[in-house]
Amino acid sequence: MLPQSSQPHDASDERDRLRLLLDVNNAVVSNLSLRELLIVVAGWLKKFFPLDLASMVIMDEETGLLRVHALDAPAPGGVLAEGTLLPLEGTPPGIAIATRSTVLRERLNFEEFYSPIMREAYKAGLRSGCSVPLICHDQVLGTINVGSMRECAFTRRDAELLEQIAGQVAIAVQNALNFQRAERERDHNKLLLDEVAALKNKLHSEKLYLEEEIQTEYNFEEIIGQSKALKKILQQVATVAPTDSAVLLCGETGTGKELIARAIHNLSGRRERTLVKLNCAAIPTGLLESELFGHEKGAFTGAIAQRVGRFELANKGTLLLDEVGEIPLDLQPKLLRVLQEHEFERLGSSRTIKTDARLIAATNVDLPQMVAEKKFRSDLFYRLNVFPITIPPLRERVDDIPLLIGYFAQKHSRRMNKRIDNVPRQTVEALCNYPWPGNVRELENFMERSVILSSGSELQAPLAELKVTASVAVPEVMSGPRSMEDVERRHIAEILEQTRGVIGGKGGAAEILGLPTSTLRNRMKKLGLK
């Protein structure tokens, strides 16, 4: 209960208090800043209250404590400052909020106000005070408080006037809090918009950068390297890609002909359509025509359903025919026709199908030599040889080997959830000095094997495998001139001896050489190896 006022009051005093309420009302209507609001209100309160301190505390939503938002005068001893957090328990504002009623104390009582901050205020000279809850729409927002260095400085009538003022101030506080919340949301939304705009600009810049990079010799998919030999190839790729001309990729097995073909496709106007691939050496001769042109149901034994061929799938896109030298002579005229006339028929059908497929052919054999030996049609060769690109073997790109080592080490370590931070210098030197007959594919297989064998952060490469191969190769060079076919035959024979005749599977000759098993078998057959 509030104590009864002992001070008489007259009509003029009542008019002054009504004038105070009117002035406070005018002040709160035009202020959305809590601090400015309290300063204005406190200025009027000083005319009627013998206060030494006026403050406003607001419930902090994040901490659940009371935060001092505004002070009209410094607290005794400096125990309070704007932004100070007060506990709910043991403080007059906390009790006013908890009880939703005014707390008027003519004399401060430590048994009731046991908070350390209140003890510090008492030691600094605070002797009496009044805290009134700010309630708006049945929600307690905080309190408005007055304090004095004298006992019995405030009466019940003073408290009643402060309650009336608090009713007006609470509305202004609610408006100010709403305004602050809206400002924060606006700032947050602005920040989000700024972040989105910055991200869009970043993505746009990256897009321009990547578009510029992909037109240069430094970035073509997974084509790693900066050697002059590779740069020359990539310049040719950038030149021919925008056209629809046929491209013939020549190079040893494992040099990355498929990567070059993909780069040509991705730089062309057909990049939104499919890049269809077919390895002619991997398809049995009797089924190759069906793979290329498709067949109708019942066209031959086993044709239980209609099949769409690769030329039809690649319509408006690109068709890569790998190991094109393996196409049988009797099938070559049909391939020539589709290249010249852009039409074909499925097996078992007389209906002509049009196709607009760009052809990229790849081979690891000497097609002119095959033409001379009547194993490949000259007219088909000339049709394929519109824009030949010869891809250099890895031994002619020694400068690229360190980059490839790092790339493959990271690629396979990530896939195996390992971390390779260091490749010993002697390992890099050994790999640079090795001739790599299987080219980039052999190097990648060797690096994958090395990552598997590595137990720590340093790459543990099985260099002994390279020494065995090198020790076999040197006498061949010293013994006099030999054809590439002889060198290849002896090298494959040594690897087969090393694997005890195992061709496929883990640790087989095909894996060591970096070749597909079917390709190795074909090479063995041509070289007369069993």
Side-chain angles (χ1 to χ4, degrees):
M1 295 290 295
L2 293 176
Q4 295 293 326
S5 175
S6 58
Q7 296 178 355
H9 57 277
D10 54 23
S12 63
D13 185 47
E14 188 66 24
R15 284 195 300 271
D16 291 338
R17 288 175 177 260
L18 290 174
R19 171 62 61 181
L20 171 63
L21 292 176
L22 179 59
D23 292 336
V24 168
N25 182 72
N26 292 334
V28 300
V29 166
S30 59
N31 278 283
L32 290 175
S33 166
L34 294 180
R35 190 176 190 283
E36 292 177 1
L37 177 64
L38 178 67
I39 291 174
V40 172
V41 172
W44 291 107
L45 292 178
K46 288 178 181 178
K47 295 180 179 181
F48 292 90
F49 297 99
L51 59 88
D52 297 307
L53 168 70
S55 69
M56 184 185 300
V57 298
I58 305 297
M59 284 288 294
D60 189 271
E61 297 177 356
E62 295 181 1
T63 63
L65 300 176
L66 299 173
R67 184 179 297 276
V68 178
H69 269 262
L71 283 169
D72 176 64
V79 295
L80 287 181
E82 290 186 19
T84 302
L85 291 175
L86 303 177
L88 287 171
E89 297 180 355
T91 61
I95 295 175
I97 289 174
T99 61
R100 302 172 71 93
S101 59
T102 300
V103 175
L104 172 63
R105 292 298 180 264
E106 295 178 340
R107 297 178 180 84
L108 292 178
N109 183 351
F110 279 124
E111 293 180 0
E112 182 179 15
F113 306 126
Y114 52 81
S115 171
I117 200 167
M118 290 304 300
R119 293 181 181 273
E120 291 295 324
Y122 184 85
K123 290 179 183 179
L126 189 64
R127 291 295 179 266
S128 61
C130 183
S131 295
V132 179
L134 298 170
I135 303 176
C136 182
H137 302 303
D138 202 39
Q139 179 184 1
V140 182
L141 306 175
T143 62
I144 187 169
N145 315 283
V146 292
S148 176
M149 309 294 282
R150 296 185 299 105
E151 293 185 348
C152 302
F154 308 104
T155 66
R156 178 185 177 184
R157 190 159 182 262
D158 294 331
E160 290 172 350
L161 177 61
L162 194 59
E163 288 173 352
Q164 291 178 296
I165 294 173
Q168 296 173 305
V169 172
I171 297 173
V173 169
Q174 181 70 74
N175 292 336
L177 292 176
N178 290 338
F179 179 77
Q180 289 180 354
R181 191 175 296 112
E183 286 285 297
R184 286 195 300 269
E185 290 178 357
R186 187 192 67 181
D187 292 342
H188 178 67
N189 292 335
K190 183 178 183 300
L191 180 62
L192 288 178
L193 290 174
D194 291 342
E195 290 177 351
V196 170
L199 182 59
K200 287 177 65 177
N201 290 336
K202 179 176 181 292
L203 291 175
H204 180 67
S205 299
E206 289 179 351
K207 177 176 179 291
L208 294 177
Y209 170 79
L210 291 175
E211 287 176 345
E212 180 181 352
E213 282 294 292
I214 203 169
Q215 295 298 331
T216 68
E217 62 270 43
Y218 298 103
N219 184 9
F220 284 83
E221 300 263 338
E222 294 180 345
I223 303 173
I224 308 299
Q226 295 181 349
S227 64
K228 291 183 178 179
L230 183 60
K231 289 179 180 180
K232 180 180 178 182
I233 296 304
L234 298 182
Q235 287 174 350
Q236 291 178 293
V237 168
T239 299
V240 74
T243 72
D244 282 336
S245 299
V247 179
L248 178 61
L249 303 177
C250 305
E252 298 177 9
T253 298
T255 51
K257 293 187 290 294
E258 183 178 329
L259 289 179
I260 296 296
R262 186 179 296 119
I264 294 172
H265 172 74
N266 289 341
L267 289 175
S268 73
R270 299 169 179 260
R271 58 186 170 271
E272 301 298 331
R273 305 302 292 265
T274 308
L275 171 63
V276 179
K277 296 172 288 183
L278 178 64
N279 188 327
C280 300
I283 306 298
T285 303
L287 298 178
L288 187 55
E289 183 176 359
S290 173
E291 287 291 331
L292 287 171
F293 308 117
H295 64 253
E296 299 291 344
K297 180 179 179 180
F300 52 85
T301 303
I304 59 176
Q306 185 188 75
R307 180 181 181 85
V308 175
R310 303 300 174 94
F311 269 102
E312 196 169 349
L313 287 174
N315 187 41
K316 302 298 183 180
T318 306
L319 175 61
L320 168 62
L321 293 183
D322 198 6
E323 300 194 49
V324 70
E326 300 295 330
I327 296 179
L329 274 170
D330 60 345
L331 188 55
Q332 292 179 20
K334 296 183 179 180
L335 178 58
L336 179 62
R337 179 200 172 197
V338 74
L339 293 178
Q340 291 178 337
E341 302 176 14
H342 303 287
E343 61 183 27
F344 62 92
E345 291 88 29
R346 293 191 190 128
L347 281 174
S349 172
S350 59
R351 184 172 67 91
T352 299
I353 299 174
K354 292 286 187 179
T355 182
D356 176 20
R358 179 185 191 175
L359 184 70
I360 300 177
T363 182
N364 60 359
V365 298
D366 187 348
L367 286 183
Q369 181 63 31
M370 292 186 66
V371 171
E373 296 173 357
K374 305 298 183 181
K375 295 180 180 179
F376 201 87
R377 290 179 62 101
S378 59
D379 49 1
L380 177 58
F381 170 70
Y382 298 137
R383 191 66 185 82
L384 296 175
N385 200 41
V386 175
F387 196 94
I389 298 178
T390 301
I391 304 172
L394 190 55
R395 60 182 174 274
E396 297 178 9
R397 297 171 47 198
V398 177
D399 293 346
D400 293 336
I401 292 179
L403 295 175
L404 289 165
I405 292 171
Y407 173 77
F408 290 137
Q410 294 303 314
K411 174 184 175 181
H412 293 293
S413 62
R414 283 195 300 268
R415 184 172 60 84
M416 300 177 196
N417 292 322
K418 291 187 175 184
R419 181 173 179 177
I420 303 297
D421 295 326
N422 180 41
V423 180
R425 181 178 178 180
Q426 60 270 27
T427 298
V428 177
E429 291 177 351
L431 299 185
C432 288
N433 292 327
Y434 182 67
W436 299 110
N439 292 293
V440 179
R441 186 180 294 122
E442 183 185 1
L443 173 60
E444 179 173 8
N445 290 343
F446 182 85
M447 290 300 300
E448 181 178 1
R449 188 157 62 253
S450 301
V451 172
I452 294 173
L453 295 173
S454 301
S455 56
S457 61
E458 183 174 277
L459 186 73
Q460 298 173 2
L463 299 179
E465 295 181 8
L466 306 182
K467 293 178 181 178
V468 170
T469 306
S471 65
V472 173
V474 171
E476 294 299 328
V477 176
M478 299 295 292
S479 62
R482 291 183 180 271
S483 67
M484 286 297 296
E485 190 173 271
D486 289 338
V487 174
E488 186 179 10
R489 181 186 295 107
R490 287 188 173 273
H491 179 62
I492 293 177
E494 292 291 345
I495 298 298
L496 288 171
E497 183 179 350
Q498 180 182 331
T499 62
R500 298 181 179 180
V502 176
I503 297 176
K506 199 67 176 177
E511 182 186 52
I512 294 175
L513 291 170
L515 299 174
T517 302
S518 61
T519 302
L520 178 57
R521 291 185 185 276
N522 288 333
R523 296 304 300 158
M524 290 171 59
K525 181 178 178 181
K526 289 184 178 182
L527 295 171
L529 292 173
K530 296 183 180 180

Short mmCIF file of all heavy atoms in Angstrom, two decimals, residues 79 87 89-91 113-122:
data_model
loop_
_atom_site.label_atom_id
_atom_site.label_comp_id
_atom_site.label_asym_id
_atom_site.label_seq_id
_atom_site.Cartn_x
_atom_site.Cartn_y
_atom_site.Cartn_z
N VAL A 79 27.05 4.29 -9.87
CA VAL A 79 26.74 2.85 -9.87
C VAL A 79 25.85 2.47 -11.03
O VAL A 79 25.73 1.29 -11.35
CB VAL A 79 26.07 2.44 -8.53
CG1 VAL A 79 27.03 2.63 -7.38
CG2 VAL A 79 24.78 3.26 -8.30
N PRO A 87 19.12 -6.85 -12.22
CA PRO A 87 18.32 -8.06 -11.98
C PRO A 87 16.89 -7.70 -11.61
O PRO A 87 16.61 -6.60 -11.13
CB PRO A 87 19.06 -8.72 -10.81
CG PRO A 87 19.70 -7.58 -10.08
CD PRO A 87 20.08 -6.58 -11.13
N GLU A 89 15.15 -9.41 -9.35
CA GLU A 89 15.01 -9.61 -7.91
C GLU A 89 15.91 -8.65 -7.14
O GLU A 89 17.04 -8.39 -7.55
CB GLU A 89 15.38 -11.05 -7.54
CG GLU A 89 14.46 -12.10 -8.17
CD GLU A 89 14.85 -13.50 -7.78
OE1 GLU A 89 15.88 -13.66 -7.10
OE2 GLU A 89 14.11 -14.42 -8.16
N GLY A 90 15.37 -8.14 -6.02
CA GLY A 90 16.16 -7.31 -5.13
C GLY A 90 16.32 -5.88 -5.57
O GLY A 90 17.18 -5.17 -5.04
N THR A 91 15.50 -5.41 -6.56
CA THR A 91 15.56 -4.01 -7.00
C THR A 91 14.14 -3.47 -7.07
O THR A 91 13.20 -4.21 -7.39
CB THR A 91 16.22 -3.88 -8.39
OG1 THR A 91 15.46 -4.62 -9.35
CG2 THR A 91 17.65 -4.42 -8.36
N PHE A 113 15.52 -4.84 -0.54
CA PHE A 113 16.32 -4.57 -1.73
C PHE A 113 17.76 -5.02 -1.49
O PHE A 113 18.59 -4.23 -1.08
CB PHE A 113 16.27 -3.07 -2.07
CG PHE A 113 14.88 -2.53 -2.21
CD1 PHE A 113 14.47 -1.44 -1.48
CD2 PHE A 113 13.97 -3.14 -3.06
CE1 PHE A 113 13.18 -0.95 -1.61
CE2 PHE A 113 12.69 -2.65 -3.20
CZ PHE A 113 12.27 -1.56 -2.47
N TYR A 114 17.96 -6.33 -1.70
CA TYR A 114 19.25 -6.92 -1.36
C TYR A 114 20.20 -7.02 -2.55
O TYR A 114 21.28 -7.58 -2.45
CB TYR A 114 19.05 -8.32 -0.79
CG TYR A 114 18.20 -9.22 -1.66
CD1 TYR A 114 18.76 -9.88 -2.75
CD2 TYR A 114 16.85 -9.39 -1.38
CE1 TYR A 114 17.97 -10.69 -3.56
CE2 TYR A 114 16.06 -10.19 -2.19
CZ TYR A 114 16.62 -10.85 -3.26
OH TYR A 114 15.85 -11.65 -4.06
N SER A 115 19.81 -6.48 -3.69
CA SER A 115 20.68 -6.56 -4.86
C SER A 115 21.97 -5.78 -4.60
O SER A 115 21.93 -4.70 -4.00
CB SER A 115 19.96 -5.96 -6.08
OG SER A 115 20.86 -5.84 -7.15
N PRO A 116 23.12 -6.31 -5.01
CA PRO A 116 24.40 -5.61 -4.79
C PRO A 116 24.39 -4.20 -5.36
O PRO A 116 24.98 -3.30 -4.77
CB PRO A 116 25.41 -6.50 -5.53
CG PRO A 116 24.80 -7.86 -5.50
CD PRO A 116 23.33 -7.64 -5.61
N ILE A 117 23.72 -3.99 -6.48
CA ILE A 117 23.72 -2.66 -7.07
C ILE A 117 22.94 -1.67 -6.21
O ILE A 117 23.27 -0.48 -6.14
CB ILE A 117 23.17 -2.71 -8.52
CG1 ILE A 117 23.63 -1.46 -9.29
CG2 ILE A 117 21.65 -2.85 -8.54
CD1 ILE A 117 23.41 -1.57 -10.78
N MET A 118 21.89 -2.18 -5.51
CA MET A 118 21.15 -1.30 -4.62
C MET A 118 21.97 -0.98 -3.37
O MET A 118 21.92 0.14 -2.84
CB MET A 118 19.83 -1.97 -4.21
CG MET A 118 18.82 -2.07 -5.34
SD MET A 118 18.44 -0.46 -6.09
CE MET A 118 17.79 0.44 -4.68
N ARG A 119 22.76 -1.94 -2.90
CA ARG A 119 23.63 -1.67 -1.76
C ARG A 119 24.67 -0.61 -2.13
O ARG A 119 24.98 0.28 -1.32
CB ARG A 119 24.31 -2.96 -1.31
CG ARG A 119 23.33 -3.97 -0.71
CD ARG A 119 24.07 -5.23 -0.26
NE ARG A 119 23.13 -6.21 0.28
CZ ARG A 119 22.73 -6.24 1.55
NH1 ARG A 119 23.18 -5.32 2.40
NH2 ARG A 119 21.87 -7.16 1.97
N GLU A 120 25.19 -0.70 -3.35
CA GLU A 120 26.16 0.30 -3.79
C GLU A 120 25.51 1.67 -3.89
O GLU A 120 26.11 2.69 -3.52
CB GLU A 120 26.74 -0.10 -5.16
CG GLU A 120 27.64 -1.33 -5.13
CD GLU A 120 28.89 -1.07 -4.32
OE1 GLU A 120 29.41 0.07 -4.35
OE2 GLU A 120 29.36 -2.01 -3.64
N ALA A 121 24.25 1.73 -4.37
CA ALA A 121 23.54 3.00 -4.46
C ALA A 121 23.28 3.58 -3.07
O ALA A 121 23.39 4.81 -2.86
CB ALA A 121 22.23 2.81 -5.21
N TYR A 122 22.98 2.73 -2.13
CA TYR A 122 22.74 3.20 -0.77
C TYR A 122 24.02 3.76 -0.16
O TYR A 122 24.03 4.81 0.49
CB TYR A 122 22.19 2.07 0.10
CG TYR A 122 21.82 2.51 1.49
CD1 TYR A 122 20.57 3.07 1.75
CD2 TYR A 122 22.73 2.39 2.55
CE1 TYR A 122 20.23 3.51 3.02
CE2 TYR A 122 22.40 2.81 3.83
CZ TYR A 122 21.14 3.37 4.07
OH TYR A 122 20.80 3.78 5.33
#
